[in-house]
Amino acid sequence: MKVLMPYFKRYHVDVWIALLSVIVLVFATLWQPRLLQVVMEAIIKNDQQTVFREGVMLLGLAALGIVGGIVNTIYSARVALGVATDLRADLYAKIQSFAYADVEKFSASNLVVRMTNDINQVQQIVMAAFQQITRIPLLFIGALILAVVTMPEQWWVIIVMMAIILLASWLAVGRMTKYFAQTQQDIENVNTVARENLMGIRVVKSFVQEPNEIKKFSAASDELTGVTAKIGYWFSILMPIFFLTANLAVGVAVYLVGQNITTHPGYLAAITSFISYLMQILYAVINGGFLMTFASRAFISIGRIDEVLATEPSMTYVEGDEAPLSGDVCFEHVTFTYPGDDQPTLKDVSFTAPAGSMLGIVGATGSGKATLAQLIARLYDPDSGHITIGGVDVRQIPEKALRSTVAYVLQRSTLFSGTIAGNLKQVKPDAEVSHMQWAANVAQASEFIERLPQTYDAPVEERSQNFSGGQKQRLAITRGVIANPEILILDDATSALDARSEKLVQEALDRDLQSTTTVVIAEKIASIIRADQILVLDDGRVSGCGTHHDLLQNNQIYQAIYQTQKAREEGVE
């Protein structure tokens, strides 16, 4: 609960009202059987005046308990909702501060479950804490004391009942705790299978994999069902044990009172109150047992949330000037290994790209092209060596300065639901329509945007399903160039464009972003043939660097790529 204490302090007034109201509720609950005993004694004595007076007090006490319960519910809910909302916001903000490697370490589906299901578990336990967890100890202690005061000779009946119930609860909790931890993992598995299926629905449909996907989901769902059923089995065993024990205790108490009614006639009025206190003790113990099992699941969720909040980002940024730097890029003996891999992806890479130049990067699949681009944008830090932008090591560049200097356009275009303008303003919040039109002209996106009824206010559906692959790539390029960055990275960002559109985009980049350093990763040599210099990567190393004509003369890998693509094009012709 240490994680939650700072959040409780934010709602300290609501916390105190919830606690005071639960004390009022417990007092009303405990004192009602006592007044009922007085009423019963007055009925036996035929004392009508006392019956009326105590009856009115009994009704007033019931009304007080109702008011206390309503106030407690309202303020408990306010605390629970407030704490859950603030915790969710802080958890999301923490995730946003993570480096790309930190997000990959947890996985996206894992983090989503922690922000949703685990937060819900915390909200429920906070609600229960101010409704039940604070109420149960007070009710238990008060009922125990008043039960012993009411019928002192029956104290051992209470002790035996409590011992049996506590033993059963202890055994059950020990078995169920491991199942609660497994439940959270199984929820993540179900979420992962469903998310992958929905995101890859086109692949599923095209290969007619629906039956296999159903089997995969059913397997994950059955695993969750099996664990949940085991928890249910334990609850189904506990309830009969609890109520059987309580009913036996009541039966024993009534039997003993019947045996001694002649010597203790006052027990005739006291037995009703004693049974009420006995049932209150049972209620407290049963609910305490259930809350222990419920709390064990919530504590697992709190631990999972704390794990995220306590994780320090693997990459931090210095404070400083937010102004963008010049577009010079320099790699000096850079080596990089992905977390969890044994072999480095990039090995002793060195090159320099002057500001305003075009750098092309080619190589076989897995040669490290995308990794090199990610290091420029500082999605990762190298194991060794130095990367400088504008003569400054990227580790010494403030985050906003780096983001305003480098724009990164991925091959897999990711647009967020909302509007086209909303996506463009992610990069340039103060963008006017004129800025959007300029960027769209560069990316050759204006031709379809202008045909939309709402133009730049046109909606973008979830996962941008209302746009084709080529349109999404052009919108992504528009978003990349709208702030006129000093460095523009195109990670195979024109792969979905036809040859004409790709050529127009390249010409527009040359014309309108002359001072921008353009880093182009491409599978097709035609996309980088006009680059000022081309890096050829082979198994993470730079095997050649130069212009297209230089590499055709002296680099065998480049020659092989060129001849393969040339032969393919001639074959198509």
Side-chain angles (χ1 to χ4, degrees):
M1 298 295 283
K2 180 177 66 175
V3 179
L4 304 180
M5 289 307 297
Y7 298 94
F8 289 145
K9 292 178 181 178
R10 301 178 189 178
Y11 301 92
H12 60 278
V13 174
D14 293 343
V15 167
W16 281 111
I17 293 175
L19 292 174
L20 291 174
S21 61
V22 82
I23 292 173
V24 171
L25 177 61
V26 169
F27 169 76
T29 304
L30 289 173
W31 204 247
Q32 282 178 3
R34 195 69 176 173
L35 288 180
L36 185 61
Q37 181 179 350
V38 176
V39 170
M40 292 295 295
E41 291 174 349
I43 291 173
I44 294 172
K45 296 177 182 178
N46 198 23
D47 186 352
Q48 298 297 324
Q49 184 177 0
T50 302
V51 170
F52 179 78
R53 185 182 70 249
E54 298 299 327
V56 171
M57 292 181 63
L58 197 59
L59 291 174
L61 199 62
L64 180 65
I66 291 173
V67 172
I70 293 174
V71 173
N72 176 255
T73 300
I74 292 173
Y75 282 89
S76 296
R78 288 181 56 166
V79 174
L81 287 172
V83 168
T85 300
D86 291 351
L87 187 60
R88 187 181 293 109
D90 289 348
L91 188 63
Y92 186 77
K94 183 69 175 184
I95 292 171
Q96 294 303 306
S97 72
F98 282 170
Y100 188 61
D102 301 325
V103 176
E104 285 191 321
K105 181 183 74 172
F106 285 101
S107 85
S109 60
N110 181 292
L111 292 173
V112 168
V113 170
R114 296 187 194 222
M115 284 192 295
T116 52
N117 186 272
D118 286 322
I119 292 290
N120 290 339
Q121 296 295 329
V122 172
Q123 179 177 322
Q124 292 176 24
I125 195 62
V126 171
M127 184 78 174
F130 291 99
Q131 280 195 302
Q132 300 293 340
I133 296 177
T134 51
R135 179 184 177 188
I136 286 172
L138 297 175
L139 190 64
F140 174 78
I141 295 171
L144 180 61
I145 293 173
L146 291 173
V148 173
V149 169
T150 302
M151 295 183 65
E153 291 83 358
Q154 309 298 333
W155 64 270
W156 62 272
V157 175
I158 303 172
I159 299 301
V160 172
M161 181 188 74
M162 287 170 46
I164 295 174
I165 292 175
L166 289 175
L167 178 62
S169 300
W170 178 73
L171 291 174
V173 169
R175 300 295 189 279
M176 285 192 287
T177 299
K178 63 178 182 180
Y179 294 136
F180 286 135
Q182 184 62 41
T183 298
Q184 297 303 107
Q185 183 61 51
D186 289 342
I187 290 173
E188 288 179 13
N189 294 339
V190 170
N191 181 58
T192 299
V193 172
R195 184 173 60 88
E196 288 180 347
N197 175 271
L198 294 176
M199 291 183 67
I201 192 66
R202 292 182 180 179
V203 177
V204 173
K205 293 291 184 182
S206 62
F207 288 99
V208 197
Q209 288 298 302
E210 294 91 340
N212 290 335
E213 289 297 315
I214 292 172
K215 289 179 182 178
K216 188 189 300 183
F217 183 83
S218 297
S221 181
D222 290 345
E223 185 72 23
L224 176 60
T225 301
V227 175
T228 306
K230 290 177 182 177
I231 297 173
Y233 294 152
W234 278 101
F235 277 119
S236 66
I237 294 172
L238 281 176
M239 290 300 295
I241 293 176
F242 289 163
F243 283 104
L244 176 62
T245 304
N247 289 329
L248 288 175
V250 170
V252 170
V254 171
Y255 174 78
L256 293 176
V257 168
Q259 293 293 314
N260 299 288
I261 194 66
T262 55
T263 56
H264 296 86
Y267 280 178
L268 188 60
I271 186 61
T272 303
S273 298
F274 181 78
I275 291 175
S276 295
Y277 288 129
L278 205 63
M279 297 310 294
Q280 288 178 2
I281 294 171
L282 173 67
Y283 167 83
V285 174
I286 289 177
N287 280 275
F290 284 145
L291 282 173
M292 286 176 64
T293 58
F294 175 63
S296 64
R297 180 175 183 177
F299 287 142
I300 290 171
S301 293
I302 292 173
R304 285 160 53 86
I305 293 169
D306 185 42
E307 182 184 4
V308 177
L309 293 175
T311 299
E312 292 298 325
S314 60
M315 187 182 298
T316 57
Y317 291 87
V318 299
E319 299 292 333
D321 189 7
E322 298 178 2
L325 291 81
S326 66
D328 300 282
V329 179
C330 180
F331 274 51
E332 298 178 2
H333 305 290
V334 171
T335 297
F336 172 75
T337 306
Y338 280 104
D341 288 356
D342 297 328
Q343 298 297 322
T345 303
L346 293 180
K347 307 163 188 174
D348 195 29
V349 173
S350 298
F351 69 89
T352 300
S357 65
M358 177 180 177
L359 172 67
I361 304 176
V362 294
T365 302
S367 59
K369 303 186 298 295
T371 302
L372 188 148
Q374 291 172 358
L375 292 179
I376 297 175
R378 207 192 171 199
L379 298 183
Y380 295 96
D381 278 336
D383 302 336
S384 61
H386 296 279
I387 303 171
T388 60
I389 294 177
V392 182
D393 192 298
V394 290
R395 297 184 182 91
Q396 302 303 317
I397 302 176
E399 183 175 15
K400 289 187 177 180
L402 180 62
R403 299 303 168 217
S404 61
T405 302
V406 181
Y408 193 172
V409 183
L410 299 168
Q411 177 184 9
R412 183 178 179 181
S413 306
T414 301
L415 301 177
F416 296 90
S417 57
T419 64
I420 293 175
N423 275 271
L424 300 182
K425 287 184 177 181
Q426 289 177 328
V427 179
K428 188 177 177 61
D430 59 346
E432 302 290 342
V433 175
S434 58
H435 298 122
M436 298 180 193
Q437 290 173 336
W438 171 80
N441 287 332
V442 172
Q444 305 304 306
S446 56
E447 62 175 289
F448 71 87
I449 294 177
E450 299 295 340
R451 291 200 302 267
L452 299 172
Q454 297 166 282
T455 61
Y456 292 94
D457 290 323
V460 178
E461 296 178 1
E462 183 181 359
R463 295 189 291 117
S464 54
Q465 295 179 96
N466 54 329
F467 293 106
S468 68
Q471 289 173 335
K472 285 190 285 188
Q473 278 201 336
R474 281 181 280 181
L475 286 174
I477 296 172
T478 304
R479 183 173 56 190
V481 304
I482 191 170
N484 197 8
E486 301 299 323
I487 300 172
L488 176 63
I489 303 173
L490 300 175
D491 185 357
D492 210 8
T494 58
S495 59
L497 303 185
D498 57 82
R500 175 181 172 276
S501 297
E502 183 179 10
K503 181 181 179 182
L504 291 174
V505 170
Q506 291 173 348
E507 291 176 351
L509 290 174
D510 292 340
R511 180 182 65 250
D512 297 326
L513 282 82
Q514 294 181 3
S515 62
T516 296
T517 304
T518 308
V519 180
V520 181
I521 300 172
E523 297 293 336
K524 297 180 294 184
I525 288 181
S527 301
I528 57 170
I529 198 169
R530 295 178 295 105
D532 296 299
Q533 62 174 325
I534 300 172
L535 285 183
V536 182
L537 293 181
D538 179 38
D539 193 26
R541 297 183 184 276
V542 177
S543 70
C545 181
T547 65
H548 169 71
H549 296 290
D550 294 336
L551 293 172
L552 279 180
Q553 299 296 322
N554 57 36
N555 189 275
Q556 294 181 352
I557 295 176
Y558 190 82
Q559 293 168 1
I561 296 173
Y562 178 75
Q563 293 298 333
T564 301
Q565 294 184 6
K566 183 179 179 181
R568 187 184 304 134
E569 292 172 1
E570 291 175 350
V572 171
E573 292 175 2

